[in-house]
Amino acid sequence: MTKKYDKEFKIQTVRLIQEEGKSEAQVAREMGLHENTIYRWVSEFIIYLK
């Protein structure tokens, strides 16, 4: 079963990359997520952060 994350959680995760300069790989490790998940969230939510 796939775990579901709400929109706000995803946006906060993407902010770690955009605002704090962390890499996708580092955030994935820290949060226990797959790197591809982080890359997908970045592409989906980058418009909310501009």
Side-chain angles (χ1 to χ4, degrees), residues 30-42:
E30 290 175 358
M31 302 189 87
L33 299 167
H34 194 279
E35 222 173 301
N36 289 342
T37 301
I38 302 296
Y39 285 118
R40 187 174 68 247
W41 291 356
V42 168

Side-chain angles (χ1 to χ4, degrees), residues 2-3 6 8 22 25 32-33 36 39 41 44-45 47 49:
T2 325
K3 190 164 185 181
D6 67 7
E8 189 58 37
K22 293 185 176 186
L33 299 167
N36 289 342
Y39 285 118
W41 291 356
E44 289 174 6
F45 292 101
I47 59 170
L49 301 176

Side-chain angles (χ1 to χ4, degrees), residues 3-46:
K3 190 164 185 181
K4 302 281 184 183
Y5 298 96
D6 67 7
K7 182 178 174 180
E8 189 58 37
F9 178 81
K10 293 175 182 180
I11 291 172
Q12 289 175 351
T13 303
V14 173
R15 281 192 177 127
L16 290 173
I17 297 162
Q18 296 296 309
E19 295 174 2
E20 295 185 22
K22 293 185 176 186
S23 70
E24 287 86 349
Q26 181 180 3
V27 171
R29 280 191 306 273
E30 290 175 358
M31 302 189 87
L33 299 167
H34 194 279
E35 222 173 301
N36 289 342
T37 301
I38 302 296
Y39 285 118
R40 187 174 68 247
W41 291 356
V42 168
S43 66
E44 289 174 6
F45 292 101
I46 197 75

